[in-house]
């Protein structure tokens, strides 16, 4: 069986927020005028965002920055 990490939990919360507010990753990406593949990579933990972009996503999702993977 799989042990879930905090990052897995963050990513599920991020996906849930996107669906809650926009219905799909594609609609979220379109609203932010970014490529849907970027949204997918962030959700899957393959990409982290710069702090400014995290703030922008949070404005649209009405969420805390802690659920979005951020560059150090």
């Amino acid at each position: 069986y799989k042990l879930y990490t905090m990052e897995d939990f963050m990513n599920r919360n991020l996906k849930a927020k996107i669906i809650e507010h926009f219905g799909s990753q594609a609609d979220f990406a379109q609203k932010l005028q970014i490529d849907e593949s970027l949204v997918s990579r962030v959700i899957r933990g393959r990409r982290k965002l710069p702090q400014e972009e995290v703030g922008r996503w949070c404005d649209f999702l009405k969420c805390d920055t802690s659920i979005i993977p951020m560059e150090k």
Side-chain angles (χ1 to χ4, degrees):
Y1 79 125
K2 180 179 178 1
L3 293 175
Y4 290 99
T5 65
M6 185 54 106
E7 191 169 281
D8 292 329
F9 184 69
M10 279 180 8
N11 295 345
R12 274 189 264 134
N13 281 342
L14 175 56
K15 172 88 175 187
K17 279 288 186 188
I18 290 170
I19 300 305
E20 175 187 339
H21 289 282
F22 294 91
S24 70
Q25 289 177 212
D27 290 344
F28 177 64
Q30 184 176 15
K31 185 72 172 176
L32 267 69
Q33 298 181 335
I34 58 175
D35 197 275
E36 185 182 352
S37 66
L38 173 60
V39 176
S40 179
R41 287 193 304 271
V42 171
I43 289 172
R44 288 184 285 144
R46 295 188 175 162
R47 173 81 188 273
K48 294 183 180 182
L49 297 173
Q51 185 175 355
E52 310 79 49
E53 192 67 9
V54 169
R56 188 168 163 251
W57 283 38
C58 288
D59 288 344
F60 279 91
L61 295 172
K62 298 171 181 53
C63 69
D64 188 81
T65 59
S66 65
I67 72 164
I68 300 175
M70 189 182 329
E71 294 176 347
K72 293 184 179 186

